[in-house]
Amino acid sequence: MQQKETILKQYFGYDSFRSGQAEIIDAMAEGRDLLAIMPTGAGKSICYQVPALMDEGITLVVSPLVSLMKDQVGALLQAGVRAAYINSSLTPGQQQEALRRAMMGAYKIIYVAPERLLTPAFLWFAETADIRRVTVDEAHCVSQWGQDFRPSYLSVAEFIGKLSRRPVLSAFTATATAGVRQDILALLGLEEPLVYMAGYDRPNLEFCVEQPRNKNLALLGHLRDFGGKSGIVYCSTRKAVEAVCEFLRQQGIAATRYHAGLEDAERRANQDDFLYDRAEVMVATNAFGMGIDKSNVSFVIHYNMPKDLESYYQEAGRAGRDGEPAKCILLYSPQDVITGRYFIEHGRDEEEMDPETRAKVQEQASERLKRMTFYATTTDCLRGFILRYFGETAPSECGNCSNCKDGFETVDIAPAAKQVVLCVEQLHRLGRAYGKNALSAILRAAPGAKATAASTEAFGTLAGLSDAALRAILDALVREGYLAVGEGEYPVLETTEKSEEVFSGESLTVKLKVATRRAVRGEKAPTEQSANPELLAQLKALRLSLARSAGVPAYAVFTDATLREIATHLPRTNAEFAGIKGVGTVKCNRYGEEFTAAVREYLEKSN
Ligand code: ADP
Ligand code: ZN
């Protein structure tokens, strides 16, 4: 059996394993079943690809998305691994041919769609060939409690049961809630597995929450800041995807779109445009992304708040898989909660459930939505909030989220608070009650302020404040219980038992998110420092042309991180090139000549 370190270096070009990888690989190599729960970007693929190459036999990888197998296999072939896929995108003739070659030992790793497993041809192959391992990727798809239930995943256990020699079974997922975990263990039939749970933290991701007045403008501002970097914009409905994508295109941004309502051909073409860097921005529903391993996604922006933190962290986690600094921005609006509730009440998946199960599922979904909303409105560290949600401990500040960075300031709002409460009381005496917008206008004597309020003493007393500042103060007063939102048809503000306290105290300090938007937007996008930027640009161009002629995405040739390594360490010979992080033996032989030539040329010119 070959050493795992040798395989890692030879095929993937890395010198060391990330945390958890070695332990997982050892267990699999010893023949032990495994369930690994690791966040997106932690490096799951290497965990099953390395054992597959350590000794004899074939590894089957069950994967849910037909459209992505091609890319996964393409990347493996680039690294010199003999791999293939069998799914409905092949004609019956091609499938037969692939199985015939597989029988002859042509492949070490075979990706297969779960729907194929129980077909007679595949069963016959599996029984005859030397299948040592079966890996189930995105294993949460087997669970009805998870968010991506796929009935075809239930056939995995049946498939394994039909084989006369039981292969070693392993399962990988990023979803970690207890119910889903129990389902995976039971429904896949894992036997005394090692259960590995990785830490959930992704330090290179910066989390931001904003509540912009105009989401389109906020989005556009961010995209301009990112300056052509690759990223995903998630929307909660197909309609929103269409509208946002259209808006971005009108603004001259190379955006493409993806949702379940599009024709297969368009979906595939758009996905490829994004993977191959022809479109910089993908606007999509949550149908997009499972299994996507595009490593250079620099940002994930949520145009709408997702239904729960599980979904949010999985989707946001598609940013920064290469370990580079990346941003995850949630554009929150209270309307998102209403949409979320609507989805829960009208969930299509639940139509077939009996009323009792359905009520329970809806109750759980409501609770998850509530926690998601807390995330969107918390003044605490966002990373800490996520980690605690997934059952981990976290320090009170991470220093790399919008709340830690400079989102909140402690401000004394006593003078303004007195006027606000006075205003609400005086209006009450007139038999009136208003919401935040109207109150803000009255206090600032702004155009459109209710005429009936003009007679009150408080009218115009806060004319020096901006609408945004005044609304932030109103929000804070509600949050701290000095005012309450009425239960009636309209969200009007009312006094509370605590209201009088604003008159007694000298000061009233609250945390205000005044600077958030400015702070988040004014700050520069993650810096991409490289020793020789000019060379880096040439290397990128070289990579693109090599990728084009090989028909693979650019990152399958080398990742951005690897190109930066090259630009920094300036390898002039193949031997030096082999020492670069991310360069394996096959890629060294295949590309060493061209990349070292580019380096030599650059050095000669600059001397
Ligand atoms: P996951 O499937 O867990 O979301 P991937 O398997 O796609 O993550 O890996 C994410 C990125 O991390 C890939 O670009 C991969 O090449 C890289 N990676 C994985 N393991 C290592 C390692 N030991 N050293 C350096 N990079 C790694
Ligand atoms: Zn933080």
Side-chain angles (χ1 to χ4, degrees), residues 567-580:
T568 307
H569 297 292
L570 304 172
R572 278 159 303 180
T573 62
N574 266 17
E576 287 172 0
F577 194 64
I580 296 287

Side-chain angles (χ1 to χ4, degrees), residues 500-544:
E500 286 302 310
E501 291 177 26
V502 304
F503 299 112
S504 51
E506 284 287 288
S507 66
L508 177 64
T509 54
V510 292
K511 277 176 151 187
L512 278 193
K513 209 169 184 173
V514 273
T516 308
R517 219 188 105 65
R518 200 177 340 122
V520 171
R521 292 263 295 95
E523 187 224 302
K524 285 209 189 81
T527 46
E528 209 178 88
Q529 280 167 349
S530 158
N532 298 296
E534 197 187 318
L535 173 61
L536 185 65
Q538 287 165 11
L539 296 176
K540 281 188 175 169
L542 175 59
R543 173 179 68 173
L544 190 63

Side-chain angles (χ1 to χ4, degrees), residues 381-383 397-401 404:
C381 171
L382 295 173
R383 184 185 314 277
E397 284 195 19
C398 74
N400 193 26
C401 76
C404 283

Side-chain angles (χ1 to χ4, degrees), residues 33-169:
D33 277 8
L34 169 100
L35 167 58
I37 298 158
M38 302 164 91
T40 315
K44 287 187 277 293
S45 335
I46 279 185
C47 292
Y48 57 80
Q49 287 165 353
V50 168
L53 299 171
M54 283 168 70
D55 63 2
E56 313 277 286
I58 299 170
T59 293
L60 291 183
V61 181
V62 179
S63 168
L65 285 189
V66 165
S67 51
L68 291 165
M69 290 186 197
K70 184 165 157 258
D71 294 308
Q72 284 159 341
V73 167
L76 283 174
L77 292 173
Q78 282 297 305
V81 176
R82 290 179 285 125
Y85 59 87
I86 294 172
N87 61 36
S88 57
S89 76
L90 304 180
T91 63
Q94 288 170 325
Q95 291 188 30
Q96 237 172 32
E97 175 62 13
L99 285 178
R100 194 186 61 77
R101 298 181 46 126
M103 280 297 302
M104 294 174 4
Y107 310 118
K108 293 294 290 174
I109 301 181
I110 301 173
Y111 283 77
V112 58
E115 294 80 11
R116 296 290 110 191
L117 293 173
L118 295 176
T119 59
F122 195 81
L123 273 173
W124 176 81
F125 155 73
E127 188 54 29
T128 327
D130 182 16
I131 296 188
R132 296 283 172 97
R133 288 180 193 77
V134 173
T135 286
V136 183
D137 202 6
E138 312 284 2
H140 60 277
C141 291
V142 79
S143 169
Q144 296 194 21
W145 303 110
Q147 42 268 38
D148 307 304
F149 175 53
R150 280 166 195 255
S152 58
Y153 261 61
L154 294 167
S155 56
V156 172
E158 190 180 343
F159 168 74
I160 303 269
K162 284 183 191 289
L163 303 180
S164 46
R165 275 168 311 151
R166 185 181 183 278
V168 180
L169 186 57

Side-chain angles (χ1 to χ4, degrees), residues 417-418 420-422 424-425 477 480-484 493-505 508:
K418 286 175 192 169
V420 171
V421 172
L422 214 57
V424 174
E425 284 178 352
L477 289 174
E480 308 279 327
Y482 295 102
L483 290 175
L493 294 191
E494 298 167 350
T495 52
T496 67
E497 287 172 7
K498 214 177 155 186
S499 298
E500 286 302 310
E501 291 177 26
V502 304
F503 299 112
S504 51
L508 177 64

Side-chain angles (χ1 to χ4, degrees), residues 333-548:
S333 105
Q335 176 63 34
D336 295 334
V337 184
I338 297 168
T339 314
R341 282 204 203 115
Y342 180 87
F343 278 140
I344 292 173
E345 278 151 30
H346 301 81
R348 263 183 306 121
D349 304 347
E350 285 134 34
E351 272 164 19
E352 291 151 24
M353 295 179 191
D354 61 85
E356 203 179 313
T357 316
R358 187 162 155 198
K360 203 167 148 212
V361 167
Q362 289 191 347
E363 192 188 316
Q364 286 177 342
S366 301
E367 184 57 31
R368 288 201 296 253
L369 178 66
K370 204 154 73 185
R371 303 281 297 273
M372 181 73 231
T373 313
F374 288 163
Y375 172 82
T377 51
T378 183
T379 58
D380 293 337
C381 171
L382 295 173
R383 184 185 314 277
F385 191 98
I386 293 172
L387 294 177
R388 279 187 285 275
Y389 181 80
F390 289 114
E392 289 190 21
T393 54
S396 61
E397 284 195 19
C398 74
N400 193 26
C401 76
S402 56
N403 285 355
C404 283
K405 274 195 148 162
D406 31 21
F408 286 88
E409 285 168 21
T410 305
V411 186
D412 182 7
I413 58 164
K418 286 175 192 169
Q419 295 303 331
V420 171
V421 172
L422 214 57
C423 182
V424 174
E425 284 178 352
Q426 289 168 349
L427 289 169
H428 181 73
R429 260 178 254 137
L430 294 175
R432 307 274 159 166
Y434 296 114
K436 288 175 194 166
N437 280 333
L439 275 177
S440 167
I442 292 168
L443 284 157
R444 291 179 303 116
K450 304 277 181 218
T452 43
S455 65
T456 62
E457 261 173 72
F459 189 83
T461 47
L462 296 177
L465 290 180
S466 70
D467 180 43
L470 193 45
R471 287 161 60 89
I473 289 170
L474 291 171
D475 283 342
L477 289 174
V478 171
R479 201 167 58 227
E480 308 279 327
Y482 295 102
L483 290 175
V485 179
E487 301 272 298
E489 193 181 345
Y490 301 105
V492 298
L493 294 191
E494 298 167 350
T495 52
T496 67
E497 287 172 7
K498 214 177 155 186
S499 298
E500 286 302 310
E501 291 177 26
V502 304
F503 299 112
S504 51
E506 284 287 288
S507 66
L508 177 64
T509 54
V510 292
K511 277 176 151 187
L512 278 193
K513 209 169 184 173
V514 273
T516 308
R517 219 188 105 65
R518 200 177 340 122
V520 171
R521 292 263 295 95
E523 187 224 302
K524 285 209 189 81
T527 46
E528 209 178 88
Q529 280 167 349
S530 158
N532 298 296
E534 197 187 318
L535 173 61
L536 185 65
Q538 287 165 11
L539 296 176
K540 281 188 175 169
L542 175 59
R543 173 179 68 173
L544 190 63
S545 82
L546 292 170
R548 286 227 173 103

Side-chain angles (χ1 to χ4, degrees), residues 215-216 219 233-235 240 244 301-305 331 336:
K215 288 190 179 185
N216 277 354
L219 176 63
V233 177
Y234 279 111
C235 303
V244 170
I301 299 178
H302 278 77
Y303 191 86
N304 303 109
M305 182 180 77
L331 302 179
D336 295 334

